[in-house]
Amino acid sequence: MSDPAGPDGLLAIIAGRGGLPRQIAERRQAHGLPYLLIVFPDCWEDWMGEHPHEHHVFEKVGQLFRALGRAGATHVVFAGAMNRPKIRPWRIDTKATGVLFKALRLLGQGDDAMLRGFAAIFEAEGLTMIGPREVLGQGATVGPGALGAKGPGAQDRKDAAQAARIVAATGALDIGQGAVVANGICLSVEAIEGTDLMLANLGRLPADRRAACPAPSGVLFKGPKPGQDTRMDLPTIGPQTVSGCVAAGLAGIVVAAGETMLLDGDATRQAADAAGLFVYGAKAEELDAWAT
């Protein structure tokens, strides 16, 4: 039977930025299960030095797979934010030549299609791709209902339902996982910049653009794209998301319950309560009801 912290074999953690790879590494460490952080350029964070890790570059995929073979890796998980790589042809190794054209095509696609393609490359090497939930458990996602003391009001629910419809429409085109709606008006849609930068840009929106929905008002909704491979790039919120929503003048956050990763739940709840902001996990049927 599988351990609640994931598979018994060595887990390669393709570690991007943010709290998710750290949470996975610390859970594996706490359960005494083998793991190895794979760190690409621009993704190093100081905490990684306390865990088994190796530095690699995208152009040396042969070197990477040989290292994973020596380590005895059986599974791989993608975790954390990572910029799309800039391939430097003069550094490509022999193994990489075989996947170069495929990789270049993947970089020209949306995030979900790109990650599915890179997952297939790892799986072709005999590694099993798993998602963060398989390591952290369902408790690492936002459950149904209010996370803190406050819940969404009537207008908030309508805004959340509208934002969810926007995410479903844009997500079907593999664009993003988030949108902000205030008083029925779409203020922002997440694209390649990610949630934090989207919220920062929204905070700089001229006051006349928000005349019909002055702060604090509006809801950030986050949820998976339709048909998304949930092993990779699940929507994620945490204390930083709360801070971004406060700075952007929003009333709260609604996410797809059970399908949105929660980083540092206690800190997220405390930050939301301190700011008077709600965080709510909504089921699909709730969002449908709120839309009517």
Side-chain angles (χ1 to χ4, degrees):
M1 184 174 177
S2 295
D3 189 277
D8 293 333
L10 188 139
L11 176 66
I13 305 170
I14 309 300
R17 299 179 300 278
L20 187 57
R22 182 174 188 172
Q23 203 167 323
I24 292 173
E26 290 178 348
R27 184 169 177 84
R28 296 288 289 183
Q29 184 182 59
H31 282 73
L33 292 169
Y35 64 99
L36 176 66
L37 293 170
I38 300 299
V39 187
F40 288 107
D42 302 322
C43 291
W44 176 258
E45 295 183 352
D46 288 343
W47 66 266
M48 295 176 177
E50 302 172 7
H51 298 269
H53 64 273
E54 290 189 8
H55 293 273
H56 287 274
V57 295
F58 296 103
E59 297 87 352
K60 303 289 185 182
V61 67
Q63 181 177 320
L64 168 60
F65 287 135
R66 287 192 296 273
L68 293 179
R70 287 193 301 270
T74 59
H75 294 71
V76 62
V77 61
F78 290 1
M82 189 179 299
N83 295 332
R84 290 178 178 238
K86 295 180 180 179
I87 303 297
R88 293 160 290 188
W90 60 90
R91 299 187 66 175
I92 293 171
D93 64 16
T94 304
K95 177 70 175 181
T97 302
V99 299
L100 174 61
F101 293 110
K102 179 183 290 187
L104 290 175
R105 287 196 302 271
L106 293 172
L107 293 176
Q109 299 182 31
D111 285 348
D112 188 50
M114 178 186 69
L115 289 170
R116 284 176 188 265
F118 280 117
I121 292 173
F122 280 87
E123 289 175 332
E125 296 297 319
L127 294 159
T128 299
M129 178 68 59
I130 64 172
R133 281 187 298 186
E134 294 178 68
V135 182
L136 299 175
Q138 193 65 24
T141 63
V142 181
L147 179 66
K150 190 174 181 181
Q155 183 60 55
D156 301 321
R157 293 193 291 270
K158 291 179 181 178
D159 288 342
Q162 175 69 0
R165 289 198 296 269
I166 292 169
V167 169
T170 59
L173 298 173
D174 202 359
I175 292 175
Q177 301 173 320
V180 176
V181 172
N183 294 342
I185 299 170
C186 180
L187 297 183
S188 191
V189 177
E190 181 187 12
I192 197 169
E193 79 278 22
T195 303
D196 292 341
L197 187 53
M198 176 187 71
L199 292 173
N201 290 336
L202 181 56
R204 292 190 287 268
L205 194 67
D208 62 328
R209 300 297 178 90
R210 288 197 63 166
C213 42
S217 67
V219 176
L220 165 67
F221 174 81
K222 292 199 72 172
K225 303 168 186 175
Q228 180 175 337
D229 187 337
T230 57
R231 298 174 301 172
M232 296 169 287
D233 194 30
L234 274 179
T236 302
I237 65 166
Q240 190 169 341
T241 318
V242 172
S243 298
C245 286
V246 172
L250 302 185
I253 303 167
V254 173
V255 301
E259 298 182 287
T260 306
M261 301 299 298
L262 176 62
L263 301 180
D264 201 338
D266 288 341
T268 301
R269 178 172 51 253
Q270 291 167 9
D273 286 347
L277 182 142
F278 61 83
V279 178
Y280 190 93
K283 297 181 178 180
E285 54 268 28
E286 274 186 292
L287 292 166
D288 291 340
W290 292 354
T292 58

